[in-house]
Amino acid sequence: MVNSEKKIAVVAFGGNALLPETQEGTFEEQQANADAAAESIIGISRNGYDVILVHGNGPQVGQVLVQNEESSEKVPMQPLDACVAATQGTIGYILTTALRRTAKRLDVDVDTVTVLTNVAVSPADPAFENPTKPIGSFMSAERAQEMEKTKGWKIIEDAGRGYRRVVPSPKPRRIMESKAIRELAQAGNIVIACGGGGIPVARVNDEFVGLEAVIDKDLASSLLAEEIGADLYIVLTGVSQVAINFGKPNMKLLDRITVSEAEKYMAEGHFPPGSMGPKIAAALKFIKSSGKEVLITSAEKLEDALKGQSGTYIIPDAQ
């Protein structure tokens, strides 16, 4: 039964939350990390929201690609879109198990469902002419030459550490399953969707086909929030609040800023492309299209942030 009274929150968090660089990356470690995050996610539901969860998959798809490459002499290699789909399934399973276990412990009446999500991109996106996103493991010069010749990969030398494949990262244009995702959330489920930014597909000869590309998780989650009419877009990251002059003696934590203020800080270089920049850009895109707010905080401080006691809220400019 659809519950149309509750608000909808789209929550984005990185794949590193389940598989940090400091850990070996075992399945058991990822399960434990999911358990640690689950209570914060359940807390959003307890605060009156239908929840849609979008996770990253950078470390996990890297593992799959290593397995792909190392076993290539025994079994056929799988295309990148299939590897993204595989991580959606595995991470969805890990999160579903953790969320169900936590909901039962906290006596919260909510179930969890994972949606294998396709995200449409344009085959004419400029990213296909200029692949820049590193994926997979480092390789020797000899291996790099072999993969360029046999697979047609574009490979770059990466800061003296070896050679690495790069792939396109096109902008998401449409979430193919957005209607189903919204209906599942309104029926009382925590929905896990758009994992890893979604499986990249494009219309070719009047049908959708998978592509060798990856989609930015923040842009995909922002687009999903826009398409389903989310009331709140939450970005979970490694810090409890956004800051300017980060890591410097004059660092300043930001409690509540407008779109114009965020754009000013971004232009001044406070939000670098490799860290907070993509998250702020995704937040601004959602606010401009929806007129709603965005909350950026850590999983540990999420409950306090929902009460206005932590986190950074980015709000529309005053009309």
Side-chain angles (χ1 to χ4, degrees):
M1 181 176 179
V2 172
N3 179 0
S4 59
E5 297 181 1
K6 294 178 74 174
K7 295 180 179 180
I8 297 180
V10 171
V11 185
F13 76 105
N16 285 314
L18 294 183
L19 207 170
E21 292 181 358
T22 55
Q23 293 184 345
E24 184 180 349
T26 67
F27 186 79
E28 291 75 18
E29 286 174 334
Q30 294 185 72
Q31 283 183 314
N33 294 332
D35 284 336
E39 189 162 343
S40 297
I41 305 303
I42 294 291
I44 304 172
S45 179
R46 298 174 83 178
N47 274 273
Y49 288 93
D50 290 320
V51 180
I52 298 169
L53 186 60
V54 178
H55 61 80
N57 73 340
Q60 292 84 356
V61 82
Q63 284 189 337
V64 172
L65 290 168
V66 170
Q67 294 167 346
N68 221 7
E69 294 164 14
E70 293 295 324
S71 63
S72 60
E73 294 184 2
K74 295 183 178 180
V75 295
M77 294 181 68
Q78 299 300 306
L80 183 53
D81 51 307
C83 294
V84 172
T87 62
Q88 283 192 4
T90 301
I91 298 173
Y93 166 59
I94 292 171
L95 290 170
T96 295
T97 302
L99 288 164
R100 285 178 175 166
R101 185 162 47 237
T102 302
K104 182 178 180 181
R105 176 171 58 82
L106 298 176
D107 195 26
V108 177
D109 184 19
V110 63
D111 202 358
T112 307
V113 61
T114 298
V115 177
L116 201 66
T117 313
N118 296 267
V119 176
V121 303
S122 170
D125 192 298
F128 288 104
E129 296 297 322
N130 183 34
T132 58
K133 181 68 175 178
I135 61 168
S137 59
F138 290 96
M139 62 187 83
S140 66
E142 294 76 14
R143 177 67 169 171
Q145 290 176 353
E146 178 187 350
M147 300 313 287
E148 282 180 325
K149 181 178 179 180
T150 60
K151 298 295 183 182
W153 290 359
K154 179 177 180 181
I155 297 176
I156 63 168
E157 195 277 329
D158 190 344
R161 296 180 295 174
Y163 293 82
R164 207 170 177 201
R165 181 186 179 191
V166 289
V167 298
S169 184
K171 291 181 179 179
R173 301 286 181 175
R174 179 161 66 96
I175 312 299
M176 304 289 284
E177 292 80 14
S178 59
K179 182 174 182 290
I181 291 166
R182 178 183 174 88
E183 290 176 351
L184 285 166
Q186 289 182 316
N189 302 286
I190 293 177
V191 183
I192 302 166
C194 278
I199 304 164
V201 297
R203 186 184 290 276
V204 178
N205 296 328
D206 205 34
E207 66 177 62
F208 282 96
V209 297
L211 301 174
E212 291 275 331
V214 293
I215 300 171
D216 182 83
K217 173 263 304 174
D218 293 313
L219 291 179
S221 57
S222 174
L223 178 60
L224 176 62
E226 177 185 340
E227 288 190 356
I228 67 171
D231 300 281
L232 179 63
Y233 175 42
I234 301 173
V235 180
L236 296 182
T237 184
V239 294
S240 60
Q241 288 182 275
V242 178
I244 56 174
N245 299 312
F246 184 76
K248 300 177 181 179
N250 61 340
M251 184 177 78
K252 178 184 177 182
L253 297 176
L254 304 174
D255 299 316
R256 198 171 185 88
I257 59 174
T258 64
V259 165
S260 293
E261 288 172 327
E263 290 178 330
K264 174 178 176 290
Y265 293 142
M266 181 171 282
E268 293 172 349
H270 290 288
F271 309 135
S275 57
M276 193 60 70
K279 296 173 176 54
I280 298 294
L284 296 179
K285 183 178 182 299
F286 170 71
I287 297 170
K288 289 178 179 180
S289 67
S290 68
K292 305 291 178 61
E293 297 182 351
V294 173
L295 168 61
I296 302 178
T297 190
S298 64
E300 295 78 12
K301 289 292 184 179
L302 179 55
E303 187 171 351
D304 289 339
L306 289 170
K307 299 174 184 176
Q309 298 171 358
S310 187
T312 299
Y313 280 88
I314 306 178
I315 62 174
D317 290 322
Q319 298 299 317

